[in-house]
Amino acid sequence: GKRWLLENKWPHVDELTIVLASMDGVELDRQTAGLGTAYSQRRFRHRNIVFPVDVLAGEKVQLFIRIESGNALQFPLVFWERESFLVNDHDEQFVFGMFYGILLVMLLYNLFIYFGVRETSYLDYVLFIGSIALIQLDVNKFSFEYLWPESPWWSMRSVPILTSLAVVVSVRFVVNFLNADHFAPRM
């Protein structure tokens, strides 16, 4: 048989179930993944929802899909040959690595500046960069893969909470950077 991978490129789905059935309706395979399921329960561990689908050459099958989510309901499904998926994912990982590496360098650079000059606006900027990095990790669901894989409850709620944290930290940064207490005390 040939191994295919069915990927949902939108990882913010609470539950996605696929059922593979023969043409006469006999269930051949059932898989469920999503934010509502612990990461360790996935058959194919990836930041997006990916299902391995094994089909014999020439075999006709039916594929049923059930999706449930409290988030935006998107399901850009892509069928991949395993090798093509791995090549594409390798390239995506490189781009993500560059992006998160730049954020980390910015965070560490400004942290060192803070330790050198002890100006609180640098510390606020470090907290802002850290909160933006956390949001991006969560939007791309690397957070579910690496930071809290066994916490579906938190993974389903983390984006709005982390976004709120980033807003608070950014306001604190702006107030300190512009010295608003001194120049606009009523604000």
Side-chain angles (χ1 to χ4, degrees):
K2 186 155 189 159
R3 170 154 280 195
W4 294 88
L5 297 172
L6 176 61
E7 176 187 22
N8 184 22
K9 290 188 156 290
W10 178 252
H12 303 275
V13 173
D14 294 347
E15 186 175 283
L16 180 62
T17 301
I18 66 164
V19 177
L20 196 64
S22 64
M23 293 309 285
D24 57 0
V26 176
E27 186 175 308
L28 303 172
D29 188 23
R30 176 185 296 261
Q31 299 178 55
T32 300
L35 298 180
T37 307
Y39 189 79
S40 62
Q41 301 301 310
R42 295 182 179 193
R43 271 196 222 169
F44 194 93
R45 296 191 182 171
H46 191 268
R47 67 186 178 279
N48 291 335
I49 299 170
V50 179
F51 298 112
V53 178
D54 295 318
V55 179
L56 298 173
E59 180 182 21
K60 291 184 179 182
V61 294
Q62 300 179 77
L63 179 67
F64 299 95
I65 298 171
R66 180 180 180 276
I67 188 166
E68 181 180 325
S69 188
N71 298 314
L73 193 55
Q74 297 181 36
F75 44 101
L77 299 172
V78 179
F79 258 111
W80 294 92
E81 288 184 314
R82 183 177 172 82
E83 295 74 25
S84 298
F85 174 83
L86 294 175
V87 167
N88 181 70
D89 190 57
H90 177 77
D91 294 344
E92 284 181 358
Q93 293 280 10
F94 176 77
V95 172
F96 280 125
M98 295 283 291
F99 174 72
Y100 291 117
I102 289 168
L103 284 177
L104 182 62
V105 166
M106 286 175 54
L107 188 144
L108 292 174
Y109 175 75
N110 284 284
L111 187 62
F112 288 132
I113 290 175
Y114 166 73
F115 285 131
V117 298
R118 297 289 180 190
E119 177 65 39
T120 58
S121 62
Y122 282 103
L123 183 60
D124 291 334
Y125 189 55
V126 165
L127 293 174
F128 175 70
I129 294 169
S131 65
I132 293 300
L134 270 177
I135 290 169
Q136 287 302 309
L137 283 168
D138 204 35
V139 164
N140 297 315
K141 286 306 171 197
F142 285 107
S143 59
F144 192 41
E145 187 173 359
Y146 296 110
L147 301 178
W148 43 80
E150 298 305 311
S151 184
W153 181 90
W154 172 248
S155 190
M156 291 189 319
R157 292 160 179 85
S158 55
V159 170
I161 293 170
L162 291 173
T163 303
S164 299
L165 172 69
V167 168
V168 169
V169 170
S170 66
V171 168
R172 179 181 154 88
F173 167 68
V174 168
V175 167
N176 283 339
F177 182 75
L178 296 177
N179 201 4
D181 291 344
H182 178 68
F183 292 110
R186 288 187 173 180
M187 225 167 94

